[in-house]
Amino acid sequence: MCEDFDRFMHDYRTDPDREFAASLHARLAHMDTQAEQSRQRGLLGRLLRRTGYETYGSDQKGPLMKPRSPWKIRLVVTMLAIAFFVAIPPLRALATDILQQLGVLTITNAPTVVEQELATRPEDREKNLPSVGLDGFSSVGAAQVSAAAGFPVYEPQYLPEGGRLFDWESIRIEDPTPRAAIISMYQISTKPTYLTLTQQPQSSLTSDEIQVGSATTQKVMVGSNEAIWIERIALAKTGPNNEELAYVNGLMWQADGYHFWLSGDTDTSLETLKSFAESLAPGQ
Amino acid sequence: MTHAEPLDWSTVYWDFLPRIYNFVLYKVGDPTLAEDLTSTTFVEVWRCRQRYSATKGALSTWIFTIAQRVVITHYRQRRSHELPLFDAAHLPNATVVADVVEKKEAIGELVGQLRQLPDRDHDLVALKYGAQLNNRQIAQLLGLSESCVGTRLHRIIGRLRSVLGVDHNV
């Protein structure tokens, strides 16, 4: 290309405002400070603080927190759910591979939150992690949970036999920018476990990476939308000393401007989750 | 910049800030919005920087891929709030920009023309003149051949010279 032919195209460039440049640099430096403090406090604590659940059980802060609902279930389900929209840097250098793409999201084999946590020294971990309990529940209406979240909750027209709504949660994540998500828990009478649906506006996704660790992935369709079936992803811990990984199966897709993550135990089939997912519609 | 040693990310920031900012500016045409999206890009870069590996590609490719995603995400979010014809006919803050400084008005006019091109061609221009990448780097980033990048840019610039009234004797 002739030297002068495109010279005018460079004339539109401009230097960023100095104040803006310095302010952004300071913000990035502040992120480093916060990250270091969070690392020192432990990964689970960091996750729970992001949801405002850290003090749950003591002062009942946060939206739609109902004293009658067992905090252990909420804590665990919340952790399972938010593990999917909180990507964290690996604790050690890893050869991370891209497994799938879903829109702008990249699904990698980087370790999940709990896989990373188990890789840390025991003395560095959060103590007294909760186990799953199954007593009692209370529900609020679709209108109430939608109002709390700021967008309509989606409800399934199909549930496996004996399935029923167990609870809804509207959670708020503050870091790095405030955003909301709805977690819907459905109990299946034939199982001591739940189907958990996390719904959040796509616009509120702040990470373009989903870490699935050792799980296997497969691209499938939910209606006319591409989805990723994820089998045996480690999102929780179990065992007497919380030294064992607990796995779930799940389906992730995006539709109508929302990002959905639907999960069940490792016996939950793709067909069950697909039927549930394809029946979702905005609540009345 | 060599990648044999750990990167000094503060230096990376100062090196890339003008290029990221101008890449975004050539994409959106609005200096204020360009600052917002530049901030979003660097926050993402900062948050994910431990995952960057020089063995998997050039640093510039990694950073500009993030910047591209940020811009795409911005338009996706905005699309649902606007009528299709609104976008090309009304530049972001065009009237405000015109009242501020001539240079800002000029970039608004340029981006107005660029938006009438296919997205990929708009990216080519933003990467070439905003980000100051060479044809080889652009080719790697967009998955095109280097000759294709050169040919398409030549055609685009020829058209822009005509519609923007750039002196043909230059």
Side-chain angles (χ1 to χ4, degrees):
Chain A
M1 198 178 294
C2 168
E3 188 179 327
D4 289 334
F5 183 71
D6 63 349
R7 178 180 293 172
F8 74 102
M9 287 297 294
H10 297 277
D11 295 339
Y12 296 95
R13 296 188 91 247
T14 182
D15 289 331
D17 178 74
R18 286 186 181 182
E19 192 175 330
F20 159 72
S23 168
L24 178 56
H25 189 256
R27 180 181 171 191
L28 299 175
H30 183 60
M31 282 175 63
D32 285 345
T33 306
Q34 284 187 317
E36 181 57 30
Q37 289 172 348
S38 293
R39 189 179 299 278
Q40 289 171 2
R41 287 193 297 256
L43 289 171
L44 179 59
R46 177 180 166 197
L47 287 175
L48 297 179
R49 270 182 287 278
R50 284 183 178 214
T51 65
Y53 270 64
E54 183 185 36
T55 56
Y56 186 70
S58 58
D59 62 1
Q60 304 297 332
K61 287 199 300 187
L64 293 181
M65 290 199 169
K66 301 175 283 295
R68 283 183 294 156
S69 191
W71 72 272
K72 286 182 178 178
I73 294 178
R74 286 159 172 259
L75 202 58
V76 171
V77 172
T78 300
M79 190 180 77
L80 289 173
I82 64 176
F84 242 74
F85 40 83
V86 177
I88 60 175
L91 296 177
R92 54 194 164 85
L94 288 164
T96 301
D97 291 321
I98 294 174
L99 303 176
Q100 303 280 356
Q101 289 284 151
L102 182 67
V104 297
L105 288 176
T106 300
I107 290 82
T108 73
N109 66 351
T112 62
V113 170
V114 290
E115 285 174 331
Q116 291 190 38
E117 193 175 1
L118 280 189
T120 60
R121 294 177 306 165
E123 57 268 36
D124 289 339
R125 291 182 212 151
E126 201 86 351
K127 299 289 190 288
N128 302 320
L129 292 175
S131 58
V132 181
L134 289 177
D135 18 318
F137 70 93
S138 62
S139 293
V140 294
Q144 193 176 347
V145 76
S146 298
F151 53 84
V153 61
Y154 275 47
E155 296 181 78
Q157 310 303 306
Y158 161 83
L159 275 175
E161 188 180 357
R164 61 173 181 165
L165 178 69
F166 172 76
D167 203 0
W168 272 321
E169 287 286 351
S170 166
I171 67 167
R172 184 168 34 83
I173 299 174
E174 298 291 353
D175 180 19
T177 53
R179 57 196 193 279
I182 294 175
I183 300 175
S184 308
M185 290 169 258
Y186 291 87
Q187 190 169 20
I188 311 302
S189 63
T190 54
K191 289 182 168 188
T193 56
Y194 300 84
L195 294 184
T196 304
L197 175 71
T198 304
Q199 174 193 349
Q200 74 174 128
Q202 268 180 264
S203 59
S204 71
L205 284 172
T206 58
S207 171
D208 58 5
E209 181 176 346
I210 301 290
Q211 301 164 340
V212 302
S214 57
T216 59
T217 62
Q218 177 191 345
K219 193 160 275 189
V220 297
M221 298 298 290
V222 168
S224 59
N225 298 301
E226 280 194 337
I228 306 292
W229 161 244
I230 302 174
E231 204 163 4
R232 286 185 63 80
I233 178 172
L235 289 181
K237 291 186 293 187
T238 186
N241 300 310
N242 284 309
E243 294 291 338
E244 299 167 29
L245 292 171
Y247 299 88
V248 302
N249 292 346
L251 196 57
M252 178 177 64
W253 74 103
Q254 296 175 339
D256 302 338
Y258 296 100
H259 179 77
F260 293 97
W261 163 240
L262 175 64
S263 65
D265 65 14
T266 51
D267 289 330
T268 307
S269 68
L270 170 60
E271 288 67 32
T272 298
L273 294 188
K274 266 190 72 173
S275 298
F276 181 108
E278 289 174 345
S279 74
L280 283 170
Q284 300 300 314
Chain B
M1 186 180 299
T2 175
H3 296 166
E5 298 176 358
L7 286 170
D8 176 349
W9 285 96
S10 183
T11 303
V12 169
Y13 170 79
W14 292 111
D15 281 351
F16 276 86
L17 177 65
R19 299 165 67 195
I20 293 293
Y21 173 76
N22 277 287
F23 164 71
V24 177
L25 185 62
Y26 275 63
K27 285 291 290 181
V28 303
D30 178 347
T32 303
L33 179 57
E35 286 188 354
D36 288 346
L37 298 182
T38 299
S39 295
T40 304
T41 299
F42 273 104
V43 167
E44 277 301 288
V45 167
W46 225 249
R47 205 174 51 75
C48 302
R49 67 190 191 275
Q50 290 181 3
R51 295 185 211 136
Y52 168 69
S53 168
T55 61
K56 292 189 175 181
L59 180 62
S60 60
T61 303
W62 185 70
I63 291 181
F64 280 106
T65 299
I66 293 174
Q68 275 188 302
R69 285 180 181 173
V70 168
V71 173
I72 289 169
T73 301
H74 163 73
Y75 279 119
R76 280 187 182 154
Q77 291 169 1
R78 216 184 56 165
R79 198 171 296 149
S80 60
H81 302 297
E82 291 182 348
L83 296 173
L85 291 177
F86 188 88
D87 202 40
H90 298 81
L91 298 170
N93 292 339
T95 54
V96 177
V97 169
D99 292 338
V100 185
V101 286
E102 189 177 339
K103 194 160 190 175
K104 290 182 180 178
E105 183 182 44
I107 187 70
E109 184 183 0
L110 172 68
V111 173
Q113 295 298 332
L114 293 175
R115 282 189 177 160
Q116 296 177 36
L117 302 173
D119 284 348
R120 181 56 65 93
D121 286 352
H122 192 167
D123 283 342
L124 280 173
V125 172
L127 291 168
K128 177 76 175 181
Y129 301 103
Q132 304 272 283
L133 297 183
N134 61 36
N135 289 5
R136 176 170 297 177
Q137 291 170 316
I138 295 172
Q140 285 177 344
L141 196 61
L142 299 183
L144 301 170
S145 69
E146 195 174 339
S147 62
C148 176
V149 170
T151 304
R152 286 169 75 162
L153 277 170
H154 191 274
R155 192 178 64 238
I156 295 165
I157 300 309
R159 176 183 166 183
L160 288 172
R161 286 176 66 90
S162 172
V163 296
L164 295 173
V166 177
D167 183 358
H168 288 266
N169 296 322
V170 172

